[in-house]
Amino acid sequence: MNTTPRTPTIYPTEFRQLIREKSANFVGREFVFTAINNFLSRQNRGYFTIVGAPGSGKSAILAKYVSENPQVIYYNAEVAGKNRAEEFLAIVCSELMRRIGNGNASEGSWSLSLLLQKISDLLSPDERLIIAIDALDRIDANHQPPGTNLFYLPRYLPDKVYFILTRRPFLREKSGLLIEAPFQILDLSAYPEENREDVREYINKYLSATPTPPFLRGVGGDLNINQQEFIEQLIAESNNNFMYLSQILPVIADKLVAGSLGEELRNPVSLGETGFLTPGLAAYYQNHWQQMIGNSLDAIELAVIKILSQQKYAISVELIAEMLNEDEYDVEEVLENWREFLHQEIIRGENCYSFYHSKFRDWLSKQVN
């Protein structure tokens, strides 16, 4: 079955580069693609949203999907200058008008909803129009009228029209979207075992391409028990975070080739104590930090960060408020503003929070303590 119109999409140069980079060295994620395909099969239109913490692989999943379905229209809101509605509409509407033979869109000559309806009318029963938008959380909604959907995404969709979105965790009431069409949200954190297996495959695929000195191998060339234990420890340290792995695996590979992995390999537990902080990870965490603090931090925000950065396990809002002698509502509001960088879980009926990754927590503790 053709899932999209046969006309290949003309991607902007920066989008083509992103698709290539983010889909490189891709492994697994079949549970996500199965969910997408099931949604497309069961619903005659709708929004499918992939939600995940920073570094959980959302962008790579979408890039891989687009690379295998080149008729899908792709847009990335994280690219510099592409996080405003006018840029999105100019690019996407131009592509839609090209598909119906009307040339390029010019200001004031198009409406996204109208174009979607026109293409819907032209699609055969076995065709679909799919628009994929990565990093919905990076959209700047300040230049849109209050109450409008992010990027003016349609509240209603015509038949055979679908949007596949990715974004970091968010509160439903702060999603920036009012939708009256079929929708499904897939939270990557709800699939820990599937994520773990994909992480294991990713590590093994990377290290299998790395020349490993013979003395690190066992009988028949299989990895010896120390290295197997090291890989399991690395899986645990990654906490299913592909960004973390993509940064430290090259360092590990270099150490393997040089035979200088040293104490980390002989004693896998030491990985959790030493770890690897690459310049790329430091820059990534610095970007998180800037997003969290904005122009500045007030006293309660700084106090909450200090407490969270000292906790290895999730801590309740009530306990944070008690430690700071602050109102629970004020603490909850601070945490909600940082929801995309936090892991939330219910423990004994209480909302508890921790930073999304232990290495970000460790890095952050050095900035504030």
Side-chain angles (χ1 to χ4, degrees), residues 45-264:
R45 68 196 188 283
Y47 286 88
F48 186 96
T49 303
I50 302 169
V51 175
S56 58
K58 305 178 299 298
S59 295
I61 290 169
L62 199 60
K64 182 65 173 178
Y65 184 82
V66 170
S67 70
E68 295 188 346
N69 297 273
Q71 297 86 2
V72 173
I73 296 174
Y74 174 85
Y75 192 89
N76 191 304
E78 200 162 18
V79 174
K82 303 298 182 185
N83 66 340
R84 293 190 182 184
E86 56 266 27
E87 283 291 325
F88 167 77
L89 292 172
I91 291 174
V92 171
C93 289
S94 290
E95 176 62 27
L96 293 175
M97 293 188 73
R98 186 182 71 84
R99 294 192 180 197
I100 60 177
N102 282 7
N104 294 322
S106 59
E107 186 174 357
S109 67
W110 40 257
S111 160
L112 177 59
S113 294
L114 176 60
L115 288 172
L116 294 178
Q117 184 63 62
K118 284 183 176 294
I119 289 185
S120 172
D121 294 339
L122 294 172
L123 295 177
S124 64
D126 64 345
E127 289 183 322
R128 303 184 182 99
L129 172 68
I130 300 175
I131 300 176
I133 307 176
D134 193 16
L136 207 66
D137 48 279
R138 298 275 66 86
I139 293 175
D140 180 4
N142 294 325
H143 294 80
Q144 295 182 212
T148 57
N149 273 352
L150 295 173
F151 276 178
Y152 298 111
L153 295 179
R155 181 174 177 178
Y156 307 96
L157 292 177
D159 288 347
K160 296 170 283 188
V161 174
Y162 302 83
F163 282 83
I164 302 177
L165 315 172
T166 74
R167 68 175 303 155
R168 293 173 182 175
F170 62 96
L171 297 173
R172 182 69 60 84
E173 61 270 23
K174 294 185 178 181
S175 69
L177 292 177
L178 176 60
I179 294 171
E180 295 194 37
F183 72 92
Q184 180 178 337
I185 296 174
L186 186 147
D187 188 341
L188 293 174
S189 68
Y191 298 84
E193 292 305 317
E194 291 86 348
N195 288 324
R196 184 180 177 87
E197 288 308 308
D198 288 342
V199 162
R200 177 178 284 106
E201 183 180 356
Y202 182 77
I203 294 172
N204 284 323
K205 179 181 178 181
Y206 195 100
L207 294 183
S208 67
T210 302
T212 307
F215 66 85
L216 293 179
R217 293 190 173 274
V219 178
D222 294 331
L223 296 177
N224 65 28
I225 187 62
N226 281 347
Q227 191 160 339
Q228 289 176 355
E229 290 176 356
F230 175 75
I231 289 174
E232 290 304 312
Q233 180 68 14
L234 183 57
I235 292 171
E237 285 297 315
S238 75
N239 195 26
N240 298 335
N241 193 279
F242 286 87
M243 172 59 75
Y244 175 72
L245 288 171
S246 71
Q247 291 293 313
I248 68 168
L249 280 175
V251 177
I252 293 174
D254 288 344
K255 285 175 173 283
L256 278 172
V257 171
S260 62
L261 199 54
E263 181 60 27
E264 297 96 341

